[in-house]
Amino acid sequence: IYKCMRPACKLLTVAILLLAACAAPPDTARFKIDFERGVKNYEAGDYKAARELWQPLADNYDLAALRNLGHLYRLGQGVPKNGKKARRYYEKAAKLGHAPSQTNLAQMYFSGALIKRNSEKAMYWLKKAAEQGYPPARQLLAIKTKNFEFHSR
């Protein structure tokens, strides 16, 4: 394809590729610092500050930040309680394979407290998380299916 291009198109293509190569990737060190600052604010009870730090991370698909925003909306911490928003944040991370978010989403569907109860969706997400070996999901799945494993001491 490159051989068939006109010289002006070749020059434009090279310029675009150079610009793309020079574009700065997200600052992962900054993301990590902001995430940890958010955790400290959350632990101190400053949920609004935690949300302000986690929101940009969630906007860039940081899975833990998405989950944490889900917690804030599910629990009404620093924001009005909102089951739909909580589900949406959990679901974004769950669809990207985040087992803790899959488990939280399953729990929301099982409880039906803030969103419509849906046992089928709950089991779907719980199994997804359990298949990844996530211990809380495996334990909850065992309880829900009454499939306990007993170990001797």
Side-chain angles (χ1 to χ4, degrees), residues 119-131:
S119 296
E120 192 174 304
K121 284 184 180 180
M123 286 302 287
Y124 170 81
W125 287 114
L126 187 59
K127 286 177 182 177
K128 286 276 203 191
E131 287 167 3

Side-chain angles (χ1 to χ4, degrees), residues 74-92:
R74 181 173 53 90
L75 301 170
Q77 296 174 316
V79 294
K81 200 178 267 195
N82 187 322
K84 288 181 181 180
K85 282 188 178 182
R87 181 192 52 79
R88 191 169 56 233
Y89 281 115
Y90 287 144
E91 197 170 69
K92 278 185 183 181

Side-chain angles (χ1 to χ4, degrees), residues 10-22:
K10 286 181 183 180
L11 183 61
L12 182 60
T13 302
V14 170
I16 290 171
L17 290 174
L18 285 173
L19 284 172
C22 294

Side-chain angles (χ1 to χ4, degrees), residues 53-64:
L53 287 163
W54 290 333
Q55 187 66 59
L57 306 179
D59 292 343
N60 282 284
Y61 289 91
D62 181 287
L63 303 180

